[in-house]
Amino acid sequence: MKTQPLPESREELVRATPEQYYSVTLFLIEEAELLDAGRYRDWLDFLAEDISYRMPVRVTAAHTLADSFLDMDHFLEDRYSLEKRVQRFETDHAWTEDPPSRTRRFVTNIRVWNGADGRLLAKSYLLLFRSRGDVRQPDLVSVERTDVLRLTDGRLQIAERLIVVDESVLRTQNLAVFL
């Protein structure tokens, strides 16, 4: 599955209602809070069964940002692989998160549109602060996320997430956290 980009023209987009905007904003803030608290099992409830969770590799291209992606991903995951990552965090074999990272996710610049089939399209910026609690400098990871959200059983769920990192070279020790 591949997330569809936003239409080129803003005229093709239909802004969400204030109520929809509020619901999506609250949803994204609650998601960040769950992840920062290490409540990964609860976070899985925010994901649709058929989720596509993708972060393409970015490169520095001369004179343009449009073609700054390789045809490969840091990760391209589905519900099964995300559940397996959460299960691994619950074992003694999650060395990349031992000790657990201290994280703070700052979700900003949220924009919401009505998409096809009653889905909502949300774009947001995320700044992740991550400390290992040791002598290493903390990590800062800045990304833009494009989410396709779907109402399932009366609650929003992420059907697709495209994560576009702002840097070509990630300066983090590992990428074991969820964005």
Side-chain angles (χ1 to χ4, degrees):
M1 284 182 278
K2 196 169 188 177
T3 301
Q4 295 299 314
L6 287 173
E8 292 295 319
S9 166
R10 293 259 182 216
E11 290 78 34
E12 295 178 49
L13 296 171
V14 177
R15 285 268 180 208
T17 66
E19 293 79 15
Q20 290 169 320
Y21 177 82
Y22 176 77
S23 295
V24 170
T25 299
L26 187 59
F27 175 85
L28 294 174
I29 290 169
E30 288 175 349
E31 178 201 16
E33 182 179 25
L34 287 176
L35 290 171
D36 288 341
R39 295 175 48 196
Y40 305 118
R41 284 268 162 215
D42 294 332
W43 175 71
L44 289 172
D45 291 337
F46 280 58
L47 311 179
E49 290 298 319
D50 60 344
I51 186 170
S52 172
Y53 186 87
R54 178 174 179 241
M55 186 170 117
V57 173
R58 192 140 200 205
V59 295
T60 301
H63 307 293
T64 181
L65 292 176
D67 298 322
S68 65
F69 300 99
L70 293 179
D71 192 24
M72 61 188 298
D73 301 294
H74 287 288
F75 43 79
L76 174 56
E77 301 198 63
D78 59 10
R79 178 69 187 229
Y80 177 81
S81 65
L82 292 167
E83 286 177 354
K84 289 299 176 188
R85 283 179 61 188
V86 167
Q87 287 174 3
R88 190 171 47 91
F89 283 154
E90 298 170 339
T91 71
D92 293 333
H93 303 291
W95 298 294
T96 58
E97 282 299 300
D98 187 15
S101 294
R102 296 175 185 149
T103 61
R104 189 72 58 223
R105 289 166 179 82
F106 299 91
V107 182
T108 67
N109 296 57
I110 300 167
R111 288 94 65 214
V112 183
W113 298 272
N114 282 293
D117 304 326
R119 297 176 298 164
L120 295 170
L121 182 63
K123 287 188 78 95
S124 63
Y125 297 160
L126 175 78
L127 180 63
L128 172 74
F129 171 87
R130 179 183 183 206
S131 171
R132 297 305 306 241
D134 56 16
V135 296
R136 287 185 49 89
Q137 292 287 1
D139 297 328
L140 287 176
V141 180
S142 174
V143 304
E144 179 181 64
R145 300 184 305 187
T146 301
D147 294 328
V148 175
L149 304 172
R150 183 169 51 220
L151 202 57
T152 306
D153 296 329
R155 61 191 170 94
L156 289 173
Q157 287 189 313
I158 303 168
E160 298 176 33
R161 173 164 282 169
L162 176 65
I163 303 160
V164 176
V165 69
D166 291 324
E167 295 183 289
S168 296
V169 177
L170 298 178
R171 293 175 174 85
T172 182
Q173 198 172 21
N174 61 57
L175 200 55
V177 296
F178 299 108
L179 299 168

